[in-house]
Amino acid sequence: RESVVIRSRLDKLNTMISCFNTGDSEGFTKLWYTHIPLYVRQEDQRVQKCYFMVRVYFLARCWALEGSSISSSSGFLFGCEGSC
């Protein structure tokens, strides 16, 4: 039998994963800062690496989506709009 605390944590984790899977970087970041304690974010290098890799993923996803919509005459990719 699951406790209320475990179910709550699983719900938060599933929401974060959903934001990641849909490319909602703003939602993911908000949940990250809300639900990952500050001392964990500052002290655990694995958590820092994880967050860094997530940000790289969102940036690469943004560039890939934007790159498919930019004409070949433009040589630069600018910041993503919306959820990127």
Side-chain angles (χ1 to χ4, degrees):
R1 189 169 127 173
E2 289 184 341
S3 73
V4 174
V5 173
I6 291 174
R7 268 186 297 198
S8 174
R9 289 180 181 171
L10 286 174
D11 288 343
K12 292 171 187 174
L13 179 60
N14 287 333
T15 304
M16 286 179 73
I17 290 171
S18 177
C19 287
F20 178 81
N21 288 335
T22 59
D24 181 6
S25 65
E26 290 178 26
F28 182 90
T29 301
K30 181 179 178 182
L31 291 169
W32 180 272
Y33 283 108
T34 303
H35 300 299
I36 307 295
L38 178 62
Y39 70 92
V40 174
R41 294 191 318 257
Q42 288 180 340
E43 300 297 326
D44 193 329
Q45 290 182 350
R46 295 172 300 170
V47 171
Q48 293 169 358
K49 183 176 181 179
C50 177
Y51 186 70
F52 173 77
M53 296 306 292
V54 165
R55 299 307 298 170
V56 168
Y57 167 80
F58 283 131
L59 182 60
R61 185 178 191 276
C62 183
W63 282 347
L65 292 173
E66 191 172 88
S68 65
S69 67
I70 293 180
S71 68
S72 60
S73 64
S74 175
F76 298 99
L77 294 178
F78 297 101
C80 250
E81 302 284 327
S83 67
C84 292

